[in-house]
Amino acid sequence: MPQHPFSLSLLLLLLPLLWFYLFFISIAAQSKPTQPTCPSYNPCNGLNISYPFWRIDDNQTQYCGYQGFGINCYTINGEEHPIILFDQASYYVETIIHEFASIILVDYDVSPMVPVGNQCPSVRHNIDLQRLPLDFSSYNVNLTFHFNCTGVPEFASEIPCLDSGGRKSCVNVMSSELQDFDWGIYSCGEEVLKTVLNANLPDGDRIGTDFGGVLSRGFELRWRSMEDCGKCEESNGRCAYNDITTKFMCFCSDGSTTTVDCKKGTFNSSFPHLSNLLVDFISWGA
Ligand SMILES: *[C@@H]1O[C@H](CO)[C@@H](O)[C@H](O)[C@H]1NC(C)=O
Ligand SMILES: *[C@@H]1O[C@H](CO)[C@@H](O)[C@H](O)[C@H]1NC(C)=O
Ligand SMILES: *[C@@H]1O[C@H](CO)[C@@H](O)[C@H](O)[C@H]1NC(C)=O
Ligand SMILES: *[C@@H]1O[C@H](CO)[C@@H](O)[C@H](O)[C@H]1NC(C)=O
Ligand SMILES: *[C@@H]1O[C@H](CO)[C@@H](O)[C@H](O)[C@H]1NC(C)=O
C-alpha cells in the first residue's frame, strides 16, 4: 500500500488537536458535580433493595427510584422486615428479581414474619395498586373469598375454621366462567379477592383448609418503566424524586442531575463531531 505523501505531516498537524480534545475530556470529567448517586443496593434482612426500588430512610428529602416503590426496613424483635405499602396496606417483600422485573409480595398479616394466625388468618382487603407501574404476573391466580354465607356452592371449598354461628365461609379459584355466578342466593357477607401464585395451590379441595399457607407464599407483580421516566432510563439515567420541590429528577451516571434525560449538554453535541472529524482525517491520510 503506497504511503500518502501528506499522511505524516497531517498526523503531526492533528496531534495538538487530539491533545486538546483529550485535555478537555479530562477537564469535563474532573469538574463533574458531586450530585447524589443511586445506591447500588441496600440490604434489608437478605433482601437487596435496589433501583427502581429504594429504601425509605428517616428525614429523606430525595430518593433515587420510582415514586411508590419505597421499601421500609423495620426492625421488629431484632429482625429486619422489608415492608412496602400500597394504599395503606402493608406487604412483606419476599423477593425482587431484577432480571424479570419481578417482585414477590406477601400480605404482611399472613407473612412468615407474623408467627400467629397463619392457620386461619383473616382475609380482609383486596390489593389496590392504584396507578403504580405494576402488573399482576401471569403466574398468579385469584382466589375469591366469601364470608358468612348460608351455603357453599359446589365449585367452592368450605373454610371450616371461619364458620360462625351456622354461617359458612368459602374460597374458590376465580375463573371466567364463574365471573357471572350469582352469589346472591347464599346471602354472603362480603367478598374479598386475593391473588396468589398458581404453583402454590394445593391439589383438589384442600384450599379451604390450606389457604393460609398459600397466602403466606405471596403473589408476583412485574414492574414496568414509570411514566415520564422512559427518556431518563433510555439515556442510562436513574429516575429520582425530590419530596420538597416535588420535582422529578434524572440522575446521570456522570453524577449530574437533569430534569429530563442524560443526553443534554455541549459535551454530547460538540466533542463527538471533533472525534469523527479526526477519524475521517486519519483514515483519509493513511
Ligand atoms: C446483593 O447485592 C450485592 C451486590 O450486588 C451482592 O454482593 C449480594 O450477593 C446480593 N445479595 C443477595 C441476597 O442477592
Ligand atoms: C431526623 O430528624 C429528627 C428531628 O429533626 C432528628 O431528631 C433525627 O435524629 C433525624 N434522624 C436522622 C437519621 O437524621
Ligand atoms: C386478579 O385480579 C386482579 C385485580 O385485583 C386483576 O388485575 C388480575 O388480572 C386478576 N388475575 C387473574 C389471573 O385473573
Ligand atoms: C360473620 O358475621 C358475624 C356477625 O355478623 C361477624 O361478627 C363476623 O365477623 C363475620 N365473619 C366474617 C369472616 O366476616
Ligand atoms: C446526544 O447524542 C445522542 C446520540 O449520540 C443524540 O440522540 C442526542 O440528540 C444528542 N443530544 C444533544 C443535546 O445533542
Side-chain angles (χ1 to χ4, degrees):
M1 201 194 215
Q3 278 291 85
H4 194 285
F6 294 118
S7 65
L8 186 64
S9 53
L10 190 73
L11 207 64
L12 286 174
L13 193 76
L14 284 172
L15 268 174
L17 261 176
L18 186 68
W19 186 85
F20 268 109
Y21 178 61
L22 294 174
F23 175 76
F24 277 112
I25 280 186
S26 68
I27 290 282
Q30 274 163 21
S31 65
K32 71 183 172 191
T34 46
Q35 287 291 322
T37 53
C38 296
S40 59
Y41 80 104
N42 222 330
C44 179
N45 194 6
L47 178 82
N48 264 349
I49 302 174
S50 62
Y51 186 85
F53 297 92
W54 47 281
R55 185 170 156 161
I56 297 173
D57 287 316
D58 289 345
N59 306 345
Q60 197 173 23
T61 55
Q62 66 179 22
Y63 53 80
C64 181
Y66 292 179
Q67 248 186 305
F69 278 34
I71 296 176
N72 277 292
C73 190
Y74 295 121
T75 302
I76 302 167
N77 295 330
E79 199 184 3
E80 290 181 323
H81 293 198
I83 308 276
I84 195 164
L85 280 166
F86 295 132
D87 194 31
Q88 294 174 357
S90 300
Y91 297 88
Y92 175 71
V93 184
E94 178 79 44
T95 323
I96 298 174
I97 309 163
H98 284 269
E99 194 184 351
F100 304 120
S102 154
I103 180 167
I104 311 272
L105 301 175
V106 185
D107 263 20
Y108 186 71
D109 299 340
V110 298
S111 71
M113 295 291 141
V114 181
V116 287
N118 266 6
Q119 287 307 309
C120 196
S122 59
V123 183
R124 277 191 300 257
H125 50 82
N126 298 333
I127 187 169
D128 186 357
L129 297 173
Q130 294 157 312
R131 300 189 58 212
L132 294 171
L134 290 165
D135 302 304
F136 289 99
S137 92
S138 56
Y139 292 102
N140 298 316
V141 288
N142 286 332
L143 299 178
T144 336
F145 289 84
H146 287 86
F147 304 106
N148 281 341
C149 309
T150 54
V152 172
E154 197 187 308
F155 58 81
S157 180
E158 191 177 336
I159 304 174
C161 69
L162 288 180
D163 274 4
S164 105
R167 290 281 191 150
K168 296 183 182 309
S169 296
C170 61
V171 55
N172 66 276
V173 177
M174 191 75 173
S175 68
S176 46
E177 304 102 71
L178 297 176
Q179 200 95 46
D180 300 323
F181 182 77
D182 179 17
W183 283 88
I185 53 170
Y186 294 105
S187 318
C188 304
E190 64 172 322
E191 177 183 286
V192 174
L193 190 135
K194 284 286 173 194
T195 303
V196 297
L197 284 166
N198 197 358
N200 294 332
L201 284 182
D203 295 333
D205 205 31
R206 297 210 328 268
I207 183 73
T209 47
D210 293 359
F211 73 97
V214 176
L215 291 175
S216 75
R217 270 170 257 146
F219 58 93
E220 185 188 41
L221 299 175
R222 299 277 174 115
W223 72 84
R224 55 196 142 81
S225 190
M226 190 178 67
E227 211 180 321
D228 301 331
C229 176
K231 275 189 177 155
C232 173
E233 285 179 346
E234 277 162 32
S235 66
N236 276 324
R238 295 280 170 93
C239 298
Y241 191 78
N242 189 310
D243 272 333
I244 291 173
T245 61
T246 67
K247 286 252 160 60
F248 167 83
M249 290 179 298
C250 181
F251 289 178
C252 303
S253 51
D254 67 355
S256 64
T257 301
T258 77
T259 50
V260 186
D261 59 43
C262 300
K263 289 173 180 168
K264 293 229 150 27
T266 53
F267 192 77
N268 182 46
S269 48
S270 62
F271 283 112
H273 289 292
L274 181 58
S275 71
N276 284 346
L277 224 61
L278 270 171
V279 169
D280 287 350
F281 266 77
I282 289 168
S283 52
W284 174 79

